[in-house]
Amino acid sequence: MQWLDARLPLPRLVYDSFVAYPVPRNLNYAYTFGGILALFLVVQILTGVVLAMHYAANSAIAFDSVEKIMRDVNWGWMLRYMHANGASFFFIAVYLHIFRGLYYGSYKAPREVLWILGVIIFLLMMATAFMGYVLPWGQMSFWGATVITGFFTAFPLIGDPIQQLLLGGFAVDNATLNRFFSLHYLLPFMIAGVVILHVWALHVTGQTNPTGVEVKSSKDTVPFTPHATIKDGFAMVVFLAIFAYMLFYMPNYLGHPDNYIEANPLKTPAHIVPEWYFLPFYAMLRAITFNIGPIDSKLGGVLVMFGSIIVLFFLPWLDTSRIRSTAYRPMYKIFFWVFVANAIMLGWLGSKPAEAPYTWLSLVGTIYYFGHFLIVLPVLGLVETPKRLPGSITEAVLAKSGGGGGGRPAGAAAAPDTKG
Amino acid sequence: MSVHDTAEPNRRDFLYIATGAVAAVGAAAAVWPFIDQMNPDAATLALAEIEVDVSQVAEGQSITAKWRGKPVFIRQRTAQEVEEAKGVALSDLKDPIARNANLPADAPATDINRVMGAGSPGGGADLPAGREQWLVMIGVCTHLGCIPNGQAGDYGGWFCPCHGSHYDTAGRIRFGPAPENMAIPPFEFTSDTVIRIG
């Protein structure tokens, strides 16, 4: 080891980053999703690489080759269900990870770059998941690809050439399938690259923690191993247990029956729905049914949908509050949970047909989504009176356990850092 | 820019900028083939022309032909549907342009302009009797490319199930997120029962 360390300090890097690395002593289970996400990226790449050994990216045989994986290939059914459900669980974990970041103010200075890298990973994940869903070449694959590449035709003048560039033709066809397969294989490795930057940025600034108070002394931290390793490991086991239940008992619960019908370019399914993890954004796309000045309803919907992600990039500068953790922001705490409920409502609306109470409810939800970022966060930081912050992480921990704080009665009733 | 702190740009500054510019142009030229390969290839671009026999399509019936990978609806509309489409004022239309490849780009979306093929250049007066009920239209919703269902929706024309666009009996957008009327492809009646599309 020392021999290698003197020539390539890789062992030292691993030791410093994942063994001796100091983490705040009060991290809760909301902080375990980063590790879970890393695990799922590995699972997706492993299952994906072996599935690619059996899959054929040709529109004439793609659908059959997926059925062949399901029926003939040894363990093929399990590998494919792992990959398909793994994508869903990847998104469950990433949404919880994002909400954790929103609740504990993980995007605030000095962690802006860390946050932006995370948003980039999220965008790459969405592109990867979308292209992966096209590969089985079922009805939902085909029409999902048609609708999503159709977004680009909303842009005046350059729209149609861009769509033809993406599709390699005038409609979704074999050329589209081939390039989506190629990119679906490439993007996870780009995600892995950005993840390395994300972890690097994390280890430069250090983690946030439920109090939002920066680490002040070595008393505030514990070494990564064994504390964080075991905690992350336990969370992974629980998460994998739920994953295994879905995988073995309800593997098609999150899928659509229409995708077991081979793609037919002349027949649109009665009700096109994207995968569940895109539903909130889909609802916002459909919410705009009217023209806004020179912007027609189609372009408006597309801009709103892209804008809902782009606004996340500016989040560190939209939130004017200097208090990091929502636990000490009594008013923002209410708005945060309304935002969560609103996001879930948008997801539900996205799964409904485009009809009258759903479209205007979507509009209300869309307005709140943007209002949260563009009005609530900038204004609330200026008018809100936060609760008193603890002097240090250690003080908060000891006050909570009631042990060290000078014999005060246990303050556990006011334990804000167990939420989330 | 320069390693020397001279006030005037010198020969070395010029060389740095010139070298950088040549490298940038070279890199851009090398990137272009990698982008352009994604565009539709020669086989896809080769313009297809199809001929469709419509002698078996009775009044109130539709058929779907495939042209350039997209469905083309050919419908012999009922007299009532034609009357409904004619009765709509242009000001009631979300998109007042005909979107007919056989007509000038700014032709208004009257019913007659929606059904006009090539070969009737003088306007509505030249349309032979019995042609007015034939609607030939690319059956792709102008919103995001789904295929609308026929004889459905609030206006008795087409309804797109994806995002709820309603089209009338002349394929004109009336309500919903779609921005334009459904497109009319270049087509011509080569005889009373054969339509050539493309």
Side-chain angles (χ1 to χ4, degrees):
Chain A
M1 274 303 178
Q2 272 179 337
W3 182 87
L4 179 62
D5 216 44
R7 286 154 183 83
L8 177 72
L10 189 63
R12 198 185 330 161
L13 180 73
V14 171
Y15 180 84
D16 288 347
S17 305
F18 302 108
V19 180
Y21 184 75
V23 296
R25 60 190 283 179
N26 59 339
L27 293 188
N28 57 28
Y29 276 104
Y31 282 82
T32 58
F33 289 102
I36 289 171
L37 284 164
L39 173 72
F40 266 81
L41 181 59
V42 172
V43 169
Q44 289 302 88
I45 289 180
L46 270 182
T47 52
V49 166
V50 295
L51 284 170
M53 295 179 186
H54 304 280
Y55 172 76
N58 180 306
S59 60
I61 51 175
F63 186 82
D64 292 337
S65 78
V66 172
E67 284 309 302
K68 195 169 91 72
I69 288 171
M70 294 298 288
R71 291 154 199 259
D72 299 348
V73 175
N74 298 332
W75 298 98
W77 60 273
M78 191 181 84
L79 293 166
R80 174 163 175 263
Y81 279 152
M82 276 174 87
H83 198 69
N85 286 284
S88 279
F89 275 72
F90 208 147
F91 275 95
I92 292 174
V94 89
Y95 282 132
L96 291 170
H97 192 66
I98 291 171
F99 279 126
R100 192 291 319 277
L102 289 174
Y103 189 84
Y104 291 122
S106 304
Y107 48 85
K108 291 185 189 180
R111 296 183 181 80
E112 301 95 326
V113 172
L114 175 62
W115 172 261
I116 287 169
L117 287 167
V119 180
I120 292 171
I121 294 172
F122 182 46
L123 279 174
L124 286 172
M125 275 177 67
M126 295 209 287
T128 311
F130 157 63
M131 288 194 270
Y133 195 55
V134 175
L135 302 185
W137 209 241
Q139 275 288 66
M140 282 294 176
S141 302
F142 184 93
W143 291 102
T146 300
V147 167
I148 293 190
T149 54
F151 293 164
F152 293 93
T153 61
F155 298 102
L157 294 177
I158 55 164
D160 285 317
I162 287 182
Q163 193 204 20
Q164 285 170 22
L165 182 81
L166 292 174
L167 294 181
F170 301 104
V172 176
D173 209 338
N174 190 44
T176 320
L177 180 62
N178 266 300
R179 65 191 55 190
F180 278 16
F181 179 59
S182 168
L183 293 174
H184 181 71
Y185 207 123
L186 167 72
L187 285 184
F189 296 97
M190 294 181 65
I191 292 178
V194 185
V195 165
I196 289 173
L197 297 180
H198 191 65
V199 173
W200 187 7
L202 173 72
H203 284 201
V204 169
T205 59
Q207 280 161 301
T208 56
N209 65 81
T211 65
V213 179
E214 289 289 349
V215 168
K216 287 180 177 144
S217 71
S218 60
K219 276 170 79 184
D220 290 343
T221 62
V222 289
F224 191 96
T225 302
H227 297 86
T229 329
I230 293 297
K231 193 160 190 161
D232 278 359
F234 179 68
M236 282 178 201
V237 169
V238 172
F239 198 76
L240 283 175
I242 303 168
F243 176 54
Y245 181 81
M246 285 291 288
L247 173 60
F248 292 113
Y249 289 99
M250 42 204 313
N252 287 309
Y253 181 73
L254 296 168
H256 297 287
D258 275 320
N259 222 29
Y260 284 102
I261 302 169
E262 191 168 358
N264 178 357
L266 295 183
K267 177 98 182 72
T268 305
H271 185 40
I272 297 192
V273 195
E275 290 280 76
W276 70 266
Y277 35 82
F278 293 136
L279 288 175
F281 304 102
Y282 194 63
M284 289 193 252
L285 167 82
R286 298 195 302 184
I288 309 298
T289 51
F290 45 86
N291 298 350
I292 307 163
I295 300 169
D296 67 37
S297 51
K298 177 174 166 184
L299 182 58
V302 170
L303 290 178
V304 161
M305 193 191 60
F306 284 129
S308 65
I309 312 264
I310 302 298
V311 74
L312 294 176
F313 281 107
F314 298 96
L315 181 58
W317 296 276
L318 287 172
D319 188 348
T320 51
S321 172
R322 267 173 293 173
I323 307 298
R324 237 183 234 117
S325 172
T326 305
Y328 299 97
R329 299 182 61 188
M331 283 166 75
Y332 178 64
K333 188 183 276 182
I334 298 167
F335 282 105
F336 174 83
W337 288 110
V338 173
F339 178 76
V340 172
N342 181 57
I344 295 170
M345 181 187 81
L346 280 173
W348 172 71
L349 289 169
S351 71
K352 293 285 161 193
E355 288 165 6
Y358 306 122
T359 38
W360 65 261
L361 266 177
S362 301
L363 186 62
V364 172
T366 305
I367 290 169
Y368 186 79
Y369 181 95
F370 282 95
H372 180 87
F373 288 115
L374 301 177
I375 297 168
V376 171
L377 277 172
V379 173
L380 202 61
L382 303 176
V383 300
E384 183 182 42
T385 312
K387 289 188 196 164
R388 195 185 68 82
L389 286 177
S392 72
I393 295 172
T394 307
E395 187 189 307
V397 172
L398 295 180
K400 189 181 155 194
S401 66
R408 275 182 291 150
D417 48 356
T418 51
K419 283 242 179 72
Chain B
M1 198 65 198
S2 165
V3 288
H4 310 291
D5 276 333
T6 51
E8 289 290 308
N10 56 24
R11 278 158 57 100
R12 175 129 323 168
D13 290 332
F14 173 77
L15 284 173
Y16 280 142
I17 292 169
T19 312
V22 169
V25 170
V31 161
W32 177 243
F34 288 86
I35 294 174
D36 191 40
Q37 55 83 21
M38 288 177 71
N39 273 316
D41 62 21
T44 312
L45 282 177
L47 242 183
E49 244 187 27
I50 57 165
E51 294 210 333
V52 185
D53 179 0
V54 294
S55 57
Q56 301 301 310
V57 183
E59 188 175 306
Q61 288 186 338
S62 311
I63 56 170
T64 304
K66 197 174 171 188
W67 177 69
R68 273 185 158 190
K70 290 176 179 170
V72 175
F73 295 154
I74 302 170
R75 175 167 177 79
Q76 184 172 13
R77 300 180 295 169
T78 62
Q80 190 205 348
E81 285 173 343
V82 175
E83 285 312 310
E84 270 177 32
K86 277 183 156 174
V88 179
L90 275 181
S91 55
D92 289 345
L93 296 173
K94 192 175 170 192
D95 175 21
I97 311 243
R99 309 286 169 194
N100 186 334
N102 308 291
L103 294 177
D106 57 350
T110 56
D111 185 63
I112 197 86
N113 279 347
R114 293 283 299 165
V115 298
M116 188 103 64
S120 41
D126 282 5
L127 201 67
R131 292 280 164 77
E132 196 173 11
Q133 69 266 41
W134 288 96
L135 181 63
V136 179
M137 170 172 82
I138 296 179
V140 173
C141 178
T142 56
H143 182 224
L144 293 172
C146 296
I147 303 200
N149 299 326
Q151 289 64 63
D154 295 349
Y155 298 89
W158 283 265
F159 171 71
C160 181
C162 295
H163 306 94
S165 293
H166 298 258
Y167 296 86
D168 67 12
T169 54
R172 296 174 294 198
I173 178 66
R174 302 299 294 278
F175 178 78
E180 291 178 8
N181 303 325
M182 279 196 270
I184 310 292
F187 76 94
E188 189 175 5
F189 275 90
T190 52
S191 76
D192 277 346
T193 57
V194 176
I195 300 175
R196 189 179 65 215
I197 302 170

